[in-house]
Amino acid sequence: MNTDLKQRIESLLEETENKGVRLVAATKTVCPEIINEAVSYGIKTIGENRVQELLEKYDKIDKRNIEIHFIGKLQTNKVKYIIDKVDLIHSVDSLKLGQVINKYAAEYGKIQEILIEVNVSGEETKGGIAPDELEQLLVSLSKLDNIKVRGLMCIPSVEKIPGENKRFFDLLYKLLVDNNNKNIDNIYMDILSMGMSGDYLTAISSGATMVRVGTKIFGQRNYTEV
Ligand SMILES: *Cc1c(COP(=O)(O)O)cnc(C)c1O
């Protein structure tokens, strides 16, 4: 038994799930054995961000009591490999990707729940749709029968000063509320996925309903690329 892992998970659950915020364990580079151990300590949701890695680990992950989310950049040609494996896709940022997910979800016979990734920090290198293009995307996606938009997600850069990302999280919260009030057919969003190891408390204070935490659960990964 890994008492450090158990303790880290218990104290995080205290700050999140016990306050009604879903804790998604970001499990990139984490092997299935450790994932299963984390689940035994109370993790209920895991988030993978590479299709290949998810496929390699999938059979060895104990899936009885967990949800699997896809949180990384998703290429349209990889959607077909994960459509039967994931409960929520956090990172939809184009109509094209939404259409492909809709197509494979229809073939598989499910309604795929998705979040829209918004580029709240406006950095050119970041994924996500621009805030001022969000409404149009939601209107277009609302016409697709086999996807359901559940909310919004963002990945601002790691905070250099504590609280620095608050303005971005506040913006995502506002976008969720504003778009819910527009009464777009079939769009009512209730999930805000924001905050990682360095800023999840900031995100929760801005209304996050879901945080994605890796390092603070599993320790430093041996690579820095996200
Ligand atoms: C890795 C990752 C996280 C978790 O990041 P940490 O800083 O390790 O907590 C969250 N979201 C996404 C999309 C990630 O790729």
Side-chain angles (χ1 to χ4, degrees):
M1 182 163 112
N2 183 336
T3 46
D4 283 353
L5 180 65
K6 185 166 189 276
Q7 267 170 17
R8 287 196 297 265
I9 289 172
E10 282 171 355
S11 74
L12 268 163
L13 288 172
E14 199 55 47
E15 292 172 306
T16 57
E17 304 260 336
N18 292 3
K19 300 197 164 73
V21 175
R22 178 80 79 97
L23 175 63
V24 179
T27 46
K28 57 178 172 271
T29 77
V30 179
C31 68
E33 292 72 24
I34 301 288
I35 293 176
N36 292 340
E37 193 175 345
V39 169
S40 78
Y41 300 144
I43 291 295
K44 295 185 194 67
T45 314
I46 66 164
E48 283 286 339
N49 66 342
R50 288 179 180 193
V51 170
Q52 186 59 35
E53 190 179 334
L54 172 59
L55 298 181
E56 281 163 15
K57 298 196 290 200
Y58 189 74
D59 284 341
K60 297 202 192 92
I61 296 172
D62 180 358
K63 296 176 281 288
R64 279 172 299 179
N65 298 310
I66 61 163
E67 280 192 12
I68 298 183
H69 293 185
F70 192 81
I71 62 176
K73 187 160 183 55
L74 181 56
Q75 290 167 295
T76 50
N77 62 352
K78 303 257 173 80
V79 171
K80 57 178 177 285
Y81 302 116
I82 64 162
I83 199 75
D84 58 336
K85 300 183 177 63
V86 295
D87 298 289
L88 182 67
I89 298 172
H90 288 229
S91 45
V92 178
D93 63 357
S94 71
L95 178 57
K96 180 86 213 299
L97 180 56
Q99 286 167 332
V100 173
I101 293 171
N102 183 63
K103 169 176 175 252
Y104 285 106
E107 275 178 25
Y108 182 65
K110 81 188 284 199
I111 294 177
Q112 179 66 59
E113 299 198 336
I114 63 170
L115 305 180
I116 308 303
E117 182 179 347
V118 184
N119 185 354
V120 282
S121 55
E123 292 162 272
E124 268 174 40
T125 54
K126 293 265 174 195
I129 184 143
D132 61 3
E133 291 167 19
L134 175 62
E135 183 180 352
Q136 187 51 53
L137 178 63
L138 290 170
V139 169
S140 306
L141 290 173
S142 73
K143 302 187 171 96
L144 304 175
D145 289 336
N146 288 80
I147 56 176
K148 179 169 170 50
V149 180
R150 286 292 305 275
L152 305 176
M153 175 267 212
C154 69
I155 321 179
S157 298
V158 174
E159 287 186 335
K160 291 185 197 71
I161 308 161
E164 195 180 24
N165 282 343
K166 183 155 177 60
R167 64 204 156 112
F168 300 133
F169 297 143
D170 286 345
L171 173 59
L172 198 69
Y173 178 86
K174 185 176 183 315
L175 289 169
L176 187 91
V177 173
D178 287 353
N179 281 287
N180 275 339
N181 288 339
K182 282 176 182 151
N183 294 320
I184 306 168
D185 270 352
N186 299 318
I187 299 287
Y188 183 80
M189 306 183 286
D190 58 352
I191 298 176
L192 260 189
S193 166
M194 55 189 196
M196 320 202 312
S197 291
D199 54 17
Y200 67 98
L201 291 174
T202 309
I204 291 171
S205 75
S206 297
T209 67
M210 215 176 246
V211 294
R212 309 175 310 269
V213 179
T215 311
K216 211 165 166 163
I217 298 175
F218 300 107
Q220 279 306 333
R221 292 177 296 276
N222 52 7
Y223 74 114
T224 50
E225 184 194 348
V226 177

